Amino acid sequence: MECSYHYKQQRQNKVILTVEDVMGHTGTIVLRGTCVAWFDQIRLKKNHIWEFRHLFAHRNSVSGDVELHTTPWSSYECLFDDDIRAIGFKNKYYQCIVLNAKQMDLSCLLQEKYCELKTDNNHVYEQCFPCLPFNQVKMFYRPALMTIKYKESTVRVHVPSDVLEKLFLNIPPSILNKLVLFTGNVTYGMVIADLCHSILADTGESYILKIRSHFVLDENSMQQEHDFYLLNIHLSL
């Protein structure tokens, strides 16, 4: 996600990247200054192993997560499959994943997983939370429907749950009741409520939206249905 900030009374651009390690854990790298130019190359080879050096660790005051920020001394490099560093990395970490995997035949797997399933009064199986990966339930924001008006035109746009989370400063719904660090009694839910109020309030400000359209045509190429989905939104400067 690309956005801007002000430093020494000048407008600067930055790019926020979501990265993932071999265990599936996600993190954030923020490209600043001249490092913003890295984004195009990283996007083209996003499934490769990358090596970043001289990054600055910073705790986000809103989410509480630790982010990695580039500095004027930062460097980056894409490691190809035949690179000795990439080979060593895979041998060290991917082997751990294989060793931690539990192997069993199908009958044992079914017996282990489904012996914990319970049925309700209608003999319908209830949810089996231990059967889920990591024994955790992933929470999502409920998709929303936004009404957008421009001059005399009005359109309704679907806002998926993942886009909502981006709009909500990447605050996951599972921590809405938690207190924001160093703020006393302010929760993340209150932060999102203020953000929604600022977006929906009639302040006269304009926003630029990135929208994906979906049209359904009949055999005569006549429009039957049309839907719009929000991909991104930012303030028009």
Side-chain angles (χ1 to χ4, degrees):
M1 180 176 65
E2 186 173 357
C3 52
S4 61
Y5 65 100
H6 287 83
Y7 178 71
K8 292 184 178 180
Q9 298 181 348
Q10 292 184 354
R11 185 169 176 264
Q12 306 286 340
N13 292 329
K14 67 178 180 180
V15 174
I16 302 176
L17 302 177
T18 299
V19 294
E20 181 178 283
D21 63 14
V22 293
M23 301 301 294
H25 303 140
T26 59
T28 300
I29 293 182
V30 181
L31 307 181
R32 296 178 177 272
T34 58
C35 299
V36 172
W38 299 358
F39 175 64
D40 290 334
Q41 297 186 41
I42 295 175
R43 180 177 56 181
L44 292 175
K45 301 176 182 177
K46 60 182 179 180
N47 294 324
H48 287 68
I49 299 175
W50 288 85
E51 181 182 67
F52 296 91
R53 293 188 178 185
H54 307 299
L55 299 178
F56 172 71
H58 172 73
R59 184 176 295 277
N60 190 301
S61 60
V62 177
S63 65
D65 298 331
V66 176
E67 301 174 342
L68 298 177
H69 293 244
T70 59
T71 67
W73 304 275
S74 298
S75 62
Y76 77 119
E77 183 180 0
C78 178
L79 304 183
F80 294 95
D81 294 337
D82 57 350
D83 191 298
I84 188 173
R85 291 168 295 176
I87 296 174
F89 179 86
K90 292 180 179 179
N91 291 337
K92 180 178 180 180
Y93 292 101
Y94 283 89
Q95 185 178 8
C96 295
I97 298 177
V98 175
L99 293 177
N100 291 332
K102 187 176 181 180
Q103 297 184 1
M104 63 181 67
D105 57 38
L106 181 59
S107 60
C108 293
L109 175 64
L110 293 176
Q111 183 178 4
E112 178 177 300
K113 286 293 183 182
Y114 292 95
C115 64
E116 302 180 22
L117 291 181
K118 299 179 180 179
T119 57
D120 57 17
N121 296 332
N122 298 318
H123 302 289
V124 177
Y125 284 112
E126 298 178 353
Q127 294 185 10
C128 176
F129 294 117
C131 300
L132 298 175
F134 309 110
N135 296 334
Q136 294 181 357
V137 179
K138 174 67 175 179
M139 299 182 64
F140 298 90
Y141 288 104
R142 185 187 299 273
L145 190 61
M146 179 185 296
T147 301
I148 300 174
K149 184 176 181 180
Y150 178 71
K151 295 182 179 180
E152 301 300 326
S153 302
T154 302
V155 65
R156 304 180 74 180
V157 179
H158 297 274
V159 186
S161 57
D162 58 332
V163 178
L164 274 177
E165 187 164 340
K166 291 181 181 179
L167 294 179
F168 294 160
L169 306 176
N170 292 317
I171 299 176
S174 57
I175 65 170
L176 294 182
N177 294 326
K178 293 185 178 180
L179 295 176
V180 180
L181 297 177
F182 313 114
T183 58
N185 58 351
V186 178
T187 64
Y188 288 104
M190 297 169 63
V191 174
I192 291 181
D194 290 340
L195 178 61
C196 291
H197 183 269
S198 63
I199 294 177
L200 300 177
D202 187 10
T203 60
E205 295 179 333
S206 298
Y207 292 86
I208 298 178
L209 290 80
K210 184 177 181 181
I211 296 176
R212 176 171 60 87
S213 59
H214 176 72
F215 294 89
V216 177
L217 307 179
D218 60 14
E219 61 274 9
N220 297 316
S221 298
M222 298 296 294
Q223 177 180 308
Q224 290 184 323
E225 301 177 11
H226 69 276
D227 292 295
F228 299 96
Y229 297 88
L230 181 65
L231 300 179
N232 201 355
I233 179 175
H234 58 86
L235 184 64
S236 177
L237 300 177

